[in-house]
């Protein structure tokens, strides 16, 4: 499940030259989906395929309902530090990697503060334990996916310092779907904005992501 960040009344970050994050994320997500669709055995779906607003929790529900093997949210936010640039990938954690990561997740979550998942109430004790085990498994898988993903993209695309990060993003809270969020770059950085404006560069990152995700989906992690 590919999730293009933002949309509709929520433009996301706005670049120095006026580029809207919601348009960049949708375009990269579509390119990623079509690259993945060319691979046998992979069924790529989008949480949104037009310029619409979808609350964060609803994105999580779309992914769970589809019983997705993997969820990736695509972003290109702005960073408080204009020099910050390059790709980074986040998995879910109550404890953020650093202040920068926490601030980023807080800003992303502002759009929808009602977004936490409720523990099923069938049998409170048993339900909570199963929920916890399942959530831990999904989180571990997501962390493995994150390292494979960042390593395979390697030096073919600019990377942020310490590109493997964690923070408490609402959109990553599915207990049963390994979920990650990729910042493809920062629209607050002139170099990144310049790259992300060019269709050929968006195609390049979409292809790199598709290649990496295909290898991960075909690996023993998902066997
Ligand atoms: Zn964003």
């Amino acid at each position: 499940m590919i999730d293009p960040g933002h949309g509709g009344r929520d433009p996301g970050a706005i670049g120095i030259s006026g580029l809207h994050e919601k348009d960049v994320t949708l375009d990269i997500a579509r390119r990623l989906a079509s690259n993945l669709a060319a691979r046998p055995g992979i069924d790529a779906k989008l949480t949104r395929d037009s310029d619409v607003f979808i609350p964060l929790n609803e994105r999580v529900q779309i992914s769970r309902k589809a019983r997705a093997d993997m969820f990736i949210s695509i972003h290109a936010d702005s960073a408080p530090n204009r020099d910050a640039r390059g790709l980074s990938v986040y998995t879910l954690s109550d404890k953020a990697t650093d202040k920068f990561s926490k601030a980023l997740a807080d800003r992303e979550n502002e759009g929808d503060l009602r977004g936490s998942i409720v523990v099923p109430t069938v049998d409170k004790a048993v339900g909570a334990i199963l929920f916890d085990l399942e959530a831990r498994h999904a989180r571990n898988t997501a962390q493995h996916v994150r390292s494979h993903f960042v390593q395979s993209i390697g030096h073919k695309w600019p990377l942020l310092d310490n590109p493997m990060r964690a923070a408490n993003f609402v959109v990553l809270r599915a207990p049963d779907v390994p979920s990650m969020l990729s910042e493809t770059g920062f629209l607050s950085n002139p170099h990144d904005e310049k790259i992300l404006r060019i269709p050929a560069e968006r195609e390049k990152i979409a292809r790199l992501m598709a290649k990496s995700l295909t290898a991960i989906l075909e690996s023993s992690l998902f066997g």
Side-chain angles (χ1 to χ4, degrees):
M1 183 65 67
I2 305 160
D3 176 48
H6 312 278
R9 61 180 144 94
D10 170 20
I14 296 174
I16 307 154
S17 73
L19 190 60
H20 284 197
E21 183 184 356
K22 66 173 183 178
D23 299 326
V24 175
T25 61
L26 181 58
D27 186 61
I28 292 175
R30 280 177 175 156
R31 291 173 187 274
L32 173 57
S34 62
N35 273 286
L36 284 171
R39 317 263 176 166
I42 296 182
D43 182 14
K45 289 197 165 77
L46 296 167
T47 54
R48 68 174 179 98
D49 195 11
S50 60
D51 185 18
V52 287
F53 176 80
I54 304 177
L56 297 171
N57 195 35
E58 212 174 302
R59 297 171 191 252
V60 176
Q61 296 309 333
I62 293 169
S63 165
R64 298 186 72 198
K65 243 187 210 160
R67 297 180 160 277
D69 290 310
M70 197 196 287
F71 173 91
I72 178 166
S73 192
I74 313 277
H75 288 260
D77 283 283
S78 63
N81 169 8
R82 277 205 166 192
D83 293 334
R85 69 167 304 198
L87 180 138
S88 51
V89 183
Y90 288 83
T91 53
L92 183 69
S93 174
D94 310 335
K95 216 173 158 262
T97 306
D98 51 20
K99 271 188 193 164
F100 179 96
S101 305
K102 187 184 182 302
L104 198 71
D106 286 348
R107 263 204 317 283
E108 283 296 332
N109 294 345
E110 263 168 31
D112 184 346
L113 295 170
R114 298 159 293 127
S116 59
I117 299 273
V118 181
V119 175
T121 52
V122 193
D123 176 325
K124 267 188 187 162
V126 175
I129 292 165
L130 288 177
F131 183 89
D132 194 48
L133 280 175
E134 200 175 26
R136 202 174 306 163
H137 179 72
R139 245 186 242 201
N140 285 341
T141 306
Q143 285 167 10
H144 286 295
V145 171
R146 181 189 57 186
S147 7
H148 286 288
F149 187 76
V150 169
Q151 275 161 22
S152 66
I153 287 180
H155 300 292
K156 297 174 204 115
W157 188 262
L159 293 181
L160 184 68
D161 301 334
N162 184 17
M164 292 181 227
R165 291 165 178 259
N168 200 359
F169 287 95
V170 167
V171 82
L172 299 180
R173 290 186 193 160
D176 42 7
V177 183
S179 302
M180 60 182 189
L181 182 147
S182 179
E183 294 287 353
T184 47
F186 290 113
L187 289 186
S188 44
N189 179 277
H191 302 288
D192 277 359
E193 196 204 19
K194 205 172 151 194
I195 288 178
L196 290 169
R197 186 176 270 287
I198 303 167
E201 293 290 338
R202 294 178 183 179
E203 181 64 25
K204 183 184 170 187
I205 188 60
R207 270 200 197 153
L208 288 170
M209 285 177 159
K211 200 175 165 205
S212 165
L213 292 175
T214 303
I216 292 164
L217 285 165
E218 285 169 353
S219 75
S220 55
L221 259 184
F222 291 88

